[in-house]
């Protein structure tokens, strides 16, 4: 699907720094593709010729490790998916899979790099996003290695509510095995702790829908880990 970048309602904070003329020049060099749940958007180990930008939907970033596939992040719309490859290695170092119907804008990598060279405001915003993402990764790494599973699972649930779904009632379209990957725990451990959270009145569950019932207690579980 061809783009009209000037009229796009899903511009990134960086793209909003581009002039009308720059947006006009960008349009012929990007295309929007729709993906179904389970479709692979970026495959680890393949050559990168585009920068991927998530316009709609929800995706997971995962890496094939030496023993199993590791889910490292859930990404919501209006986020770039391939920036590290843009600045560094030309080979994708991770995979991205849609966990619900998604729309992704693929931008020609040469065009993207040209914008970085010609528009300092655009470049500055991209660098801010990279720095923010790196700091978040550091914090999550500390939490994953130093907290017990109750604290790590509470972190994930609060992150879903506050940063992904923006609601204390949300539907999780990933498996408990994927959640276990996020917190470095088995599916069985995730299931057990989720049941404990329900029993203790922290959350309620109906199928894949989760409701945070006692945010204060869930935050306490996160803090005390």
């Amino acid at each position: 699907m061809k783009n009209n970048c000037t009229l796009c309602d899903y511009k990134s904070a960086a793209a909003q720094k581009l002039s009308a003329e720059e947006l006009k020049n960008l349009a012929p060099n990007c295309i929007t593709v729709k993906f179904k749940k389970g479709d692979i958007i970026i495959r680890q180990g393949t050559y990168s010729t585009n920068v991927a930008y998530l316009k709609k939907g929800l995706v997971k970033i995962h890496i094939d490790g030496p023993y199993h596939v590791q889910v490292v992040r859930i990404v919501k719309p209006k986020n770039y998916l391939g920036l590290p490859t843009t600045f560094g290695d030309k080979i994708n170092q991770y995979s991205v899979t849609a966990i619900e119907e998604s729309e992704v804008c693929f931008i020609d990598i040469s065009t993207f790099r040209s914008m970085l060279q010609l528009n300092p405001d655009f470049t500055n915003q991209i660098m801010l996003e990279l720095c923010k993402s790196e700091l978040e990764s550091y914090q999550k790494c500390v939490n994953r290695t130093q907290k017990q599973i109750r604290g790590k699972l509470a972190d994930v649930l609060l992150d879903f509510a506050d940063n992904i779904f923006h609601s204390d009632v949300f539907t999780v379209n990933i498996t408990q095995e994927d959640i276990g990957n996020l917190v470095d725990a088995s599916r069985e451990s995730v299931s057990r702790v989720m049941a404990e959270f329900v029993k203790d009145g922290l959350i309620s569950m109906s199928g894949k829908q989760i409701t945070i019932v006692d945010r204060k207690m869930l935050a306490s579980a996160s803090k005390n880990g």
Side-chain angles (χ1 to χ4, degrees):
M1 183 167 61
K2 292 183 179 179
N3 290 335
N4 184 334
C5 298
T6 304
L7 300 178
C8 181
D9 293 327
Y10 305 98
K11 292 187 188 74
S12 67
Q16 292 176 29
K17 305 293 184 181
L18 299 174
S19 67
E21 186 64 25
E22 287 172 322
L23 288 170
K24 183 179 178 181
N25 293 333
L26 174 63
N29 295 291
C30 60
I31 187 170
T32 296
V33 180
K34 294 184 177 181
F35 293 91
K36 297 178 181 178
K37 178 181 178 181
D39 286 348
I40 296 177
I41 298 169
I42 296 174
R43 189 183 296 275
Q44 182 177 339
T46 59
Y47 186 75
S48 176
T49 57
N50 298 281
V51 174
Y53 173 73
L54 181 63
K55 294 171 68 175
K56 295 182 183 179
L58 206 63
V59 304
K60 63 180 179 181
I61 295 177
H62 50 101
I63 297 175
D64 289 335
Y67 302 110
H68 58 81
V69 176
Q70 181 77 48
V71 178
V72 295
R73 193 178 179 192
I74 305 297
V75 181
K76 64 179 181 178
K78 295 190 177 182
N79 275 297
Y80 292 98
L81 302 175
L83 288 182
T85 302
T86 307
F87 291 97
D89 200 337
K90 294 181 180 180
I91 303 300
N92 291 311
Q93 299 300 312
Y94 50 78
S95 297
V96 180
T97 299
I99 55 179
E100 62 183 42
E101 279 198 8
S102 302
E103 286 188 16
V104 176
C105 180
F106 290 97
I107 306 166
D108 173 70
I109 199 165
S110 297
T111 301
F112 191 86
R113 287 174 175 166
S114 177
M115 292 189 301
L116 290 171
Q117 292 176 343
L118 298 175
N119 189 320
D121 290 335
F122 176 82
T123 305
N124 183 60
Q125 189 62 45
I126 290 295
M127 296 304 294
L128 286 174
E129 292 182 26
L130 277 172
C131 291
K132 180 182 177 182
S133 177
E134 185 174 20
L135 290 173
E136 288 176 353
S137 295
Y138 289 162
Q139 187 60 56
K140 288 181 179 180
C141 179
V142 170
N143 289 342
R144 288 170 70 165
T145 55
Q146 297 188 14
K147 287 187 177 183
Q148 302 297 317
I149 183 173
R150 281 180 65 90
K152 292 188 286 187
L153 191 53
D155 283 347
V156 168
L157 295 176
L158 289 169
D159 184 52
F160 283 167
D162 295 340
N163 301 314
I164 302 295
F165 299 105
H166 305 290
S167 171
D168 281 354
V169 182
F170 51 87
T171 299
V172 180
N173 286 318
I174 59 175
T175 65
Q176 288 194 343
E177 183 176 0
D178 282 340
I179 294 175
N181 265 324
L182 284 170
V183 299
D184 293 332
S186 67
R187 178 183 60 80
E188 292 78 11
S189 295
V190 170
S191 179
R192 173 180 57 79
V193 174
M194 291 287 276
E196 289 177 3
F197 283 172
V198 171
K199 181 181 178 182
D200 294 342
L202 277 63
I203 65 172
S204 65
M205 298 180 63
S206 178
K208 290 191 174 183
Q209 181 176 288
I210 296 174
T211 301
I212 295 179
V213 177
D214 192 331
R215 172 175 278 269
K216 184 176 179 180
M217 288 298 294
L218 192 62
S220 177
S222 168
K223 181 180 179 179
N224 297 321

